[in-house]
C-alpha cells in the first residue's frame, strides 16, 4: 500500500515536472533537402548543425536542445507541410534551414505569421529582403542577387562583353540573372532559363556554340552544376569560351567535378581558406568528424545555430522574450565563420564578396581559393523596400 | 539550319535512351500485365554497376559487358524473389510493391555508394567529336548511343517478330493459359522476358551514366518520361515505344531549343522569356494529352486480346 502510493506520488510528481522541463528545451526545426539529387547539400547542412551543437556542448543558449530535421524533397508544398507540422505538433521555437528559394517563399511567411523565428541558412529570395521582410526573419546567408552582382562587377571590370547567361527557371534563377545584370555593363547576348533539376544540357550547349559568346555566366547549384559543367567541358567549350559562375563550383560539386572545374571563376562570401579563427576551427573539426570538406551551405547552417545560441543567451533562456532575441540577433554578436558582419534593416547580412578560382591545391586535388575581394560590406539592392525601422 | 540538325541529333539521342527504357517496361506490362515502377531502379543499378566495373577493370567495354550481365541476373533474381507473386494481384498491389522496391533500391545504392553523385569519365576513344556534316561536329559518345539504341531496336524487333521465342512471347501475351496448355514453360518464359526488360533498362542506365549524374533516385527522373512514351506509343507495343520515344525526344529537345525564339517573334521578349521555358517543359505532357484525346489506345495499340 505504501509502495503503491509512493509510485502514484512519483508519477504525479513526474507529470507535474514535465511541462516545466519542456519549456526549458529549445526546439529547432531544421528543414532541408535530405533525399533525392539535392540530398548531398542537405547532408552538408545537417552535419554542420550537428557540429555546431557539439561545439556548444549540445546546449543552445545553455538550454537543453532538440533539433527536428525535415526533408522538403526540393518541393515547396512539402516544405510548407513540414513547417506546419513543426509549428503545431512539435511547437518549435525556431525554424531554420531551407536550401531553395521557392521552398523558402512558401515556408517563411507560414513561420513568421505564427509568431515563430525563421532563420534562413541558404535561400535569399528578393521578396523577403524587400516588401515581405519581417522582424522574425533573419538569414545567415545572403540575398540571392548579391553574389551574381559581384560576378557582374568583376566581369565588367575585365571588360568582358557578349555574355550568354543561364540559370534554372525558378525564383533564385531569376534573382541571380537580375543581380548579374545590375552590375554588368557589357552586352548580354541571350538569357536562357532551364528546367529546375534538368540533367542533360546538350541542347543548350549546342545553342551556346552556335551563338559563340565571349563568355558564359551560369547559376547551377548542386547536381545541376555537376551536370552542366561536365557537359560544357565535354563539348570542348571550356577552351573556346570561358565559364563564370555563382553557386555552381563548390565543395559539394568539386568532389565529383575534380579537375574538370579547374580555371573556373566563382564569387562568394565565404571559402574554406578564409582566415579567421571560427572558420578554421569549423573546417578542421568538421573534417575530423565527417571526413570531408564542408561547403558554404554548411558554414551558414553552422552560423545559423550560433546566431540562435547568441539570441537565447542574450535573453538568459527566456524564450518568450522575442523582442530581446530580435535585438540580440540584430547585433550579429557571435563568431561567424565569415568573420564579423552586420545586419541591414531587412535582417540580411552586410558582408564582403570575394572572387574565387578553382586551382590545384597543395595535395594535388582541385580546390577553390580566394583571389581578391570584389565588394566590401556589400548591401543588397532591396532593403529600401523593406518597411522595418530599427 | 545546321543548328536544327544538331538539335535533331540531340533529340534522337534522348529518344533512343527513352526507347531502351520504354521497350523493357512495355514488354513486361504488355506480356506479363505487371506494372513495374521499379524499372527505373534497374536503370539506376545499371549505371552504378557499369561505373564500378569500369573502375575495377579499367576497361570501358568490360565494364559495360559485366554490368549488362549483372542487371540481367538481378532482373531474373528480382522476378523470382519478389515479382512472381504479384502476377495474380491487381495493379494497385503491383504499384505499391514495386514502389517499395524503388525505396529499397535507392536506399541500398545510397548505402553502398553514398549519396554523392558518381562521376564517370569516358575513355579517350569515346571522348572526342565526329564530323557529321561539314560544319557540324557531334560528340562521339552520343553518336555511339544513337547507333547502339537503333541497333537494339532492330534486334528486338527481330527477336519478337522472327524467332520462336518471340512467337511464344506474343502468344503468351494473348492467351497465357492456352500457351501453357501446349506444354510451354510459361513461368520460365516470364522470367526470361523480365530479365530481358531488366537488361534493357540496365543498358539505358549504363549508357546514360557518362551523360547524366549517377546518383540515388536517378531512375525516377526518367521514369515519368518513359511512362509518357508508353502511353503515347500504346501499351505493350515495341514499335509504338520506338516511334513515341523518338517523338518525345525530338519534341522535348527542339522545344527547349527553339520554342523561346519562336515565341519571341510574336510576343514581347520578356513574355517569351517567361513563357518559353515553362511551355517547353510542359510540351511532352501536352503532346500526351493530345494523343490521348484522339487515340486513347496510343498510336500503335496492340491488337485486342
Amino acid at each position: 500500500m505504501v509502495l503503491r502510493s509512493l509510485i502514484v506520488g512519483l508519477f504525479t510528481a513526474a507529470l507535474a515536472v514535465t511541462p516545466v522541463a519542456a519549456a526549458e528545451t529549445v526546439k529547432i526545426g531544421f528543414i532541408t533537402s535530405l533525399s533525392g539529387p539535392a540530398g548531398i547539400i542537405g547532408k552538408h547542412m545537417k552535419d554542420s548543425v550537428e557540429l555546431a551543437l557539439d561545439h556548444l556542448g549540445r546546449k543552445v543558449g545553455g538550454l537543453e536542445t532538440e533539433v527536428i530535421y525535415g526533408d522538403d524533397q526540393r518541393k515547396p508544398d512539402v516544405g510548407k507541410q513540414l513547417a506546419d507540422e513543426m509549428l503545431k505538433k512539435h511547437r518549435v521555437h525556431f525554424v531554420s534551414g531551407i536550401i531553395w528559394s521557392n521552398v523558402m517563399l512558401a515556408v517563411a511567411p507560414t513561420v513568421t505569421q505564427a509568431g515563430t523565428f525563421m532563420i534562413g541558412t541558404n535561400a535569399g529570395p528578393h521578396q523577403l529582403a524587400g516588401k515581405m521582410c519581417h522582424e522574425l526573419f533573419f538569414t545567415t546567408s545572403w540575398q540571392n542577387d548579391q553574389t551574381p552582382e559581384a560576378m557582374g562587377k568583376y566581369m565588367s571590370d575585365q571588360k568582358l562583353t557578349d555574355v550568354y547567361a543561364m540559370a534554372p527557371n525558378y525564383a533564385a534563377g531569376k534573382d541571380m540573372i537580375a543581380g548579374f545584370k545590375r552590375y554588368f555593363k557589357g552586352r548580354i547576348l541571350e538569357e536562357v532559363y532551364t528546367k529546375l533539376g534538368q540533367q542533360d544540357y546538350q541542347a543548350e550547349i549546342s545553342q551556346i556554340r552556335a551563338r559563340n559568346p565571349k563568355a558564359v555566366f551560369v547559376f547551377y547549384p548542386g547536381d545541376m552544376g555537376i551536370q552542366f559543367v561536365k557537359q560544357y567541358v565535354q563539348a570542348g567549350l571550356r577552351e573556346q569560351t570561358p565559364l563564370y559562375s555563382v553557386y555552381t563550383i563548390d565543395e559539394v560539386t568539386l568532389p565529383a567535378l575534380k579537375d574538370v572545374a579547374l580555371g573556373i571563376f566563382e564569387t562568394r562570401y565565404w571559402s574554406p581558406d578564409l582566415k579567421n579563427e571560427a572558420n578554421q576551427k569549423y573546417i578542421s573539426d568538421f573534417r575530423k568528424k565527417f571526413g570531408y570538406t564542408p561547403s558554404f551551405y554548411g558554414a551558414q547552417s553552422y552560423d545559423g545555430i550560433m546566431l540562435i545560441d547568441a539570441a537565447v543567451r542574450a535573453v538568459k533562456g527566456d524564450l518568450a522574450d522575442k523582442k530581446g532575441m530580435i535585438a540580440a540577433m540584430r547585433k550579429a554578436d557571435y563568431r561567424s565563420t565569415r568573420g564579423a558582419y552586420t545586419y541591414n534593416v531587412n535582417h540580411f547580412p552586410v558582408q564582403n564578396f570575394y572572387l574565387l578560382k578553382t586551382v590545384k591545391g597543395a595535395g594535388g586535388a582541385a580546390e577553390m581559393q580566394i583571389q581578391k575581394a570584389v565588394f566590401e560590406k556589400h548591401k543588397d539592392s532591396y532593403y529600401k523596400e523593406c518597411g522595418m525601422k530599427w | 539550319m545546321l543548328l536544327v540538325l544538331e538539335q535533331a541529333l540531340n533529340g534522337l539521342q534522348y529518344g533512343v535512351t527513352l526507347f531502351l527504357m520504354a521497350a523493357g517496361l512495355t514488354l513486361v506490362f504488355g506480356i506479363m500485365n505487371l506494372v513495374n515502377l521499379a524499372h527505373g531502379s534497374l536503370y539506376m543499378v545499371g549505371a552504378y554497376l557499369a561505373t564500378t566495373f569500369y573502375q575495377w577493370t579499367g576497361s570501358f567495354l568490360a565494364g559495360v559487358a559485366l554490368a549488362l550481365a549483372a542487371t540481367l541476373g538481378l532482373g531474373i533474381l528480382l522476378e523470382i524473389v519478389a515479382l512472381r507473386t504479384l502476377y495474380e494481384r491487381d495493379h494497385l498491389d503491383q504499384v505499391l510493391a514495386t514502389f517499395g522496391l524503388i525505396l529499397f533500391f535507392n536506399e541500398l545504392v545510397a548505402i553502398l555508394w553514398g549519396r554523392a553523385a558518381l562521376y564517370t569519365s569516358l575513355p579517350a576513344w569515346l571522348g572526342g567529336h565526329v564530323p557529321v556534316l561539314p560544319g557540324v561536329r557531334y560528340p562521339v559518345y552520343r553518336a555511339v548511343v544513337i547507333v547502339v539504341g537503333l541497333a537494339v531496336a532492330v534486334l528486338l524487333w527481330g527477336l519478337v517478330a522472327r524467332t520462336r521465342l518471340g512467337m511464344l512471347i506474343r502468344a503468351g501475351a494473348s492467351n497465357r493459359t492456352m500457351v501453357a496448355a501446349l506444354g510451354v514453360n510459361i513461368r520460365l518464359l516470364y522470367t526470361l522476358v523480365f530479365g530481358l526488360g531488366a537488361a534493357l533498362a540496365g543498358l539505358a542506365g549504363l549508357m546514360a551514366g557518362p551523360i547524366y549524374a549517377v546518383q540515388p533516385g536517378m531512375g525516377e527522373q526518367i521514369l515519368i518520361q518513359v511512362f509518357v512514351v508508353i502511353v503515347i506509343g500504346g501499351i505493350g507495343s515495341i514499335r509504338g515505344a520506338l516511334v513515341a520515344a523518338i517523338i518525345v525526344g525530338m519534341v522535348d529537345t527542339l522545344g527547349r531549343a527553339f520554342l523561346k525564339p519562336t515565341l519571341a517573334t510574336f510576343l514581347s521578349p520578356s513574355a517569351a522569356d517567361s513563357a518559353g521555358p515553362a511551355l517547353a517543359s510542359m510540351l511532352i505532357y501536352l503532346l500526351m494529352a493530345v494523343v490521348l484525346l484522339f487515340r486513347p489506345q496510343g498510336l500503335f495499340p496492340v491488337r485486342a486480346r
Side-chain angles (χ1 to χ4, degrees):
Chain A
M1 201 59 201
V2 175
L3 188 65
R4 194 199 247 172
S5 18
L6 198 67
I7 290 171
V8 170
L10 274 175
F11 260 108
T12 328
L15 282 175
V17 165
T18 317
V20 181
E24 284 174 349
T25 301
V26 184
K27 286 192 168 184
I28 303 171
F30 197 89
I31 301 175
T32 183
S33 303
L34 292 167
S35 62
I40 181 72
I41 300 179
K43 182 174 159 53
H44 278 237
M45 290 174 112
K46 188 179 173 193
D47 286 351
S48 297
V49 168
E50 288 299 313
L51 183 70
L53 292 174
D54 282 357
H55 282 177
L56 295 169
R58 311 302 291 183
K59 286 187 177 194
V60 167
L63 299 180
E64 289 300 325
T65 302
E66 186 187 350
V67 178
I68 301 137
Y69 293 99
D71 175 13
D72 63 23
Q73 305 165 22
R74 204 193 292 197
K75 292 174 189 151
D77 51 327
V78 179
K80 188 175 182 318
Q81 273 170 24
L82 277 171
D84 279 332
E85 188 187 315
M86 284 175 178
L87 292 169
K88 293 189 182 117
K89 188 173 152 214
H90 299 288
R91 301 190 171 276
V92 296
H93 304 99
F94 301 88
V95 176
S96 187
I98 312 248
I99 301 172
W100 310 97
S101 289
N102 49 349
V103 183
M104 182 60 107
L105 285 171
V107 167
T110 312
V111 175
T112 50
Q113 275 158 28
T116 306
F117 279 101
M118 176 77 227
I119 310 296
T121 61
N122 191 59
H126 73 267
Q127 293 89 336
L128 291 178
K131 293 199 173 68
M132 281 168 66
C133 71
H134 197 281
E135 57 175 5
L136 291 171
F137 176 88
F138 282 83
T139 181
T140 54
S141 56
W142 21 264
Q143 195 279 317
N144 285 343
D145 301 34
Q146 286 183 298
T147 310
E149 280 170 3
M151 188 49 97
K153 171 90 166 52
Y154 172 73
M155 286 173 74
S156 265
D157 292 349
Q158 298 303 110
K159 303 269 182 292
L160 281 163
T161 186
D162 291 343
V163 169
Y164 201 94
M166 285 178 71
N169 191 20
Y170 81 117
K174 300 276 167 71
D175 279 359
M176 296 287 167
I177 301 285
F180 178 74
K181 288 202 287 194
R182 192 167 296 125
Y183 281 79
F184 181 70
K185 299 288 166 252
R187 183 168 40 178
I188 291 178
L189 276 187
E190 190 88 59
E191 249 178 80
V192 173
Y193 295 99
T194 54
K195 202 172 145 227
L196 184 62
Q198 186 170 315
Q199 295 278 300
D200 191 358
Y201 294 91
Q202 183 65 25
E204 286 77 12
I205 285 168
S206 293
Q207 298 291 107
I208 296 178
R209 207 192 340 248
R211 285 304 292 268
N212 196 20
K214 295 278 194 315
V216 175
F217 166 77
V218 298
F219 159 66
Y220 279 119
D223 52 317
M224 293 179 277
I226 297 175
Q227 287 306 98
F228 180 81
V229 174
K230 205 171 89 172
Q231 291 167 13
Y232 191 85
V233 174
Q234 256 174 18
L237 273 175
R238 182 172 57 178
E239 284 65 35
Q240 192 186 324
T241 315
L243 183 62
Y244 298 83
S245 62
V246 289
Y247 302 122
T248 302
I249 316 288
D250 55 44
E251 288 68 34
V252 168
T253 60
L254 262 183
L257 286 170
K258 300 197 182 80
D259 289 0
V260 169
L262 287 178
I264 297 176
F265 288 100
E266 283 270 325
T267 47
R268 231 195 273 156
Y269 77 99
W270 177 89
S271 172
D273 65 338
L274 202 57
K275 297 277 178 289
N276 67 62
E277 204 188 321
N279 196 40
Q280 291 311 312
K281 181 175 164 59
Y282 165 63
I283 295 282
S284 72
D285 287 358
F286 191 98
R287 282 184 180 142
K288 226 177 285 165
K289 182 164 182 185
F290 300 107
Y292 66 97
T293 302
S295 59
F296 66 90
Y297 298 105
Q300 59 215 23
S301 304
Y302 179 90
D303 276 9
I305 298 297
M306 293 300 174
L307 179 70
I308 295 174
D309 173 68
V312 177
R313 205 173 289 281
V315 295
K316 302 199 167 51
D318 178 10
L319 293 168
D321 185 5
K322 294 209 170 104
K323 288 265 174 295
M325 286 198 277
I326 293 170
M329 286 195 200
R330 281 174 173 170
K331 289 183 201 142
D333 186 16
Y334 70 102
R335 298 197 314 158
S336 164
T337 52
R338 83 204 73 189
Y341 70 97
T342 55
Y343 272 115
N344 206 339
V345 284
N346 55 0
H347 298 172
F348 274 76
V350 178
Q351 58 194 349
N352 297 350
F353 284 84
Y354 307 95
L355 179 75
L356 280 76
K357 188 182 181 186
T358 319
V359 294
K360 270 217 186 290
E367 64 178 45
M368 310 205 63
Q369 287 177 3
I370 294 178
Q371 306 295 306
K372 61 173 187 177
V374 180
F375 284 133
E376 284 185 8
K377 302 206 167 110
H378 184 49
K379 290 179 179 168
D380 67 81
S381 305
Y382 298 95
Y383 71 91
K384 287 186 185 121
E385 292 171 21
C386 167
M388 261 194 295
K389 295 273 180 297
W390 47 281
Chain B
M1 202 57 227
L2 288 178
L3 181 62
V4 176
L5 180 76
E6 192 177 333
Q7 295 293 19
L9 282 175
N10 289 333
L12 186 62
Q13 180 257 316
Y14 181 44
V16 299
T17 315
L18 285 178
F19 165 70
L20 291 178
M21 287 284 285
L25 197 61
T26 208
L27 262 184
V28 170
F29 189 82
I31 293 163
M32 291 146 66
N33 200 22
L34 173 77
V35 184
N36 179 22
L37 288 188
H39 199 66
S41 300
L42 294 161
Y43 165 88
M44 172 177 72
V45 169
Y48 268 99
L49 290 177
T51 308
T52 311
F53 287 137
Y54 174 31
Q55 279 166 0
W56 280 357
T57 58
S59 153
F60 188 76
L61 288 179
V64 166
L66 284 171
L68 262 185
T71 39
L72 177 73
L74 179 72
I76 289 174
L77 189 72
L78 199 63
E79 199 271 343
I80 294 172
V81 173
L83 300 175
R84 190 163 270 192
T85 52
L86 293 171
Y87 295 148
E88 304 301 323
R89 311 287 282 272
D90 68 15
H91 283 163
L92 189 62
D93 290 356
Q94 297 174 352
V95 165
L96 277 177
T98 51
F99 184 72
L101 285 176
I102 292 184
L103 301 178
F104 169 76
F105 276 111
N106 281 346
E107 211 46 46
L108 183 72
V109 159
I111 290 167
L112 290 177
W113 282 281
R115 288 204 178 275
L118 296 188
Y119 175 61
T120 328
S121 55
L122 286 166
W125 56 277
L126 280 174
H129 289 73
V130 278
V132 183
L133 273 179
V136 182
R137 291 180 316 134
Y138 200 66
V140 175
Y141 185 72
R142 285 174 192 262
V144 169
V145 170
I146 295 177
V147 172
V148 170
L150 293 177
V152 169
V154 172
L155 282 176
L156 210 57
W157 170 79
L159 178 77
V160 174
R162 291 274 185 260
T163 64
R164 188 180 152 73
L165 180 67
M167 190 186 74
L168 291 177
I169 289 176
R170 280 177 292 143
S174 315
N175 194 330
R176 184 192 154 130
T177 331
M178 183 58 96
V179 176
L182 289 172
V184 175
N185 186 344
I186 196 93
R187 192 155 251 209
L188 179 68
L189 186 68
Y190 276 20
T191 309
L192 282 180
V193 169
F194 192 83
L196 179 67
L200 285 173
L203 179 65
L206 67 89
M207 290 205 304
I211 296 175
Y212 299 113
V214 179
Q215 59 197 356
M218 67 186 281
E220 287 91 272
Q221 294 175 338
I222 194 166
L223 193 69
I224 296 166
Q225 271 99 342
V226 173
F227 272 111
V228 171
V229 165
I230 292 181
V231 169
I232 291 178
I235 291 161
S237 161
I238 298 275
R239 190 165 55 128
L242 179 62
V243 175
I246 289 173
I247 293 176
V248 167
M250 288 288 178
V251 165
D252 187 62
T253 306
L254 296 181
R256 263 156 54 201
F258 299 116
L259 196 61
K260 198 181 98 178
T262 314
L263 285 178
T265 55
F266 56 89
L267 286 177
S268 71
S270 66
D273 266 352
S274 53
L279 206 55
S281 50
M282 282 191 288
L283 221 47
I284 61 165
Y285 305 103
L286 291 176
L287 177 73
M288 179 174 77
V290 171
V291 169
L292 284 181
L293 195 63
F294 292 103
R295 296 190 66 132
Q297 298 296 310
L299 294 177
F300 297 91
V302 182
R303 261 158 282 148
R305 303 185 179 167

